[in-house]
Amino acid sequence: MPTLRRLTQDDLPRLRQFWIEHWGGEEMIARGNVYRPEQLEGFVIEDGDEWIGLLTFFIKDGECEVTSLDSLREGQGLGSMLIDKAIAESRARNCKRLFLITTNDNLNALGFYQKRGFEIVTIYRSAVNASRKIKPSIPLVGMNGIPLRDEIELEKMLK
Ligand SMILES: CC(C)(COP(=O)(O)OP(=O)(O)OC[C@H]1O[C@@H](n2cnc3c(N)ncnc32)[C@H](O)[C@@H]1OP(=O)(O)O)[C@@H](O)C(=O)NCCC(=O)NCCS
């Protein structure tokens, strides 16, 4: 039976390893900002010892940014559970909005977030090219065979 819990300091090595396996490095880059696991909070869904879902976030200046979201068993409600948890956490901590950056190739994520009340607010054209200079492991071609180029900001207003 999968269980959801908050990440702790003890999870940092595993979080770094998870990001290396799923995102090609232990840092996440968005809009030129570098996010490291030790700066972030998060929630993990576990099935026994296995991490099957992970969301990390960063709260600053009354806004919550989702810095990563992964479901390793898609279509079973894990992604929804994690995003609902992030919405509840943001509300509990008085954030006026929850936002995130995804990329132009990630059609699945663009659909997933919009169906859950997020709206596209900004397209940072060619921003991935800048991110790639900081993190060269970011591929040139992304999901769905689409050139990986733009960062897209989606937000959900909470107040
Ligand atoms: C985007 C992502 C997090 C979604 O996670 P997920 O676990 O598949 O999400 P869910 O299972 O909650 O929802 C996916 C679909 O499955 C459906 N679903 C959920 N539980 C279901 C169930 N028990 N039976 C049938 N369908 C179900 C949902 O309704 C949803 O469809 P909808 O979007 O049309 O409403 C996941 O695809 C992922 O990790 N992608 C790769 C990493 C990524 O792109 N992350 C986001 C980058 S910003």
Side-chain angles (χ1 to χ4, degrees):
M1 175 74 179
T3 51
L4 188 151
R5 68 169 175 84
R6 200 174 282 274
L7 288 176
T8 70
Q9 286 292 102
D10 292 344
D11 294 312
L12 276 176
R14 191 150 175 200
L15 173 55
R16 290 193 185 96
Q17 193 54 40
F18 188 99
W19 273 11
I20 289 168
E21 281 168 26
H22 297 279
W23 294 101
E26 57 178 68
E27 292 173 343
M28 212 60 91
I29 321 284
R31 294 169 307 149
N33 298 316
V34 179
Y35 297 94
R36 297 191 178 81
E38 60 270 23
Q39 302 171 297
L40 306 176
E41 302 177 61
F43 299 104
V44 62
I45 301 178
E46 293 174 307
D47 185 0
D49 281 345
E50 196 187 344
W51 283 17
I52 58 172
L54 175 70
L55 179 147
T56 61
F57 64 93
F58 185 71
I59 292 182
K60 190 182 163 200
D61 300 333
E63 301 191 333
C64 180
E65 177 169 5
V66 173
T67 42
S68 73
L69 172 61
D70 290 279
S71 165
L72 302 193
R73 293 186 193 164
E74 292 179 294
Q76 297 181 22
L78 300 182
S80 303
M81 205 186 298
L82 286 163
I83 208 73
D84 286 349
K85 190 77 185 163
I87 292 167
E89 176 78 6
S90 303
R91 286 212 165 98
R93 290 169 64 173
N94 273 326
C95 295
K96 60 180 182 295
R97 72 172 189 138
L98 177 62
F99 73 103
L100 58 97
I101 298 285
T102 189
T103 46
N104 65 293
D105 62 317
N106 199 340
L107 307 181
N108 180 44
L110 286 167
F112 175 84
Y113 291 120
Q114 289 183 85
K115 286 180 187 180
R116 283 153 186 82
F118 286 76
E119 293 180 30
I120 293 173
V121 284
T122 311
I123 299 175
Y124 299 94
R125 293 184 66 189
S126 299
V128 181
N129 297 336
S131 298
R132 198 179 285 109
K133 291 195 174 117
I134 305 171
K135 184 176 172 182
S137 64
I138 297 174
L140 288 167
V141 177
M143 297 176 188
N144 310 293
I146 298 173
L148 179 44
R149 190 174 44 221
D150 309 312
E151 293 185 355
I152 299 176
E153 182 174 329
L154 293 105
E155 75 173 16
K156 187 176 175 84
M157 297 305 293
L158 302 174
K159 287 185 180 168

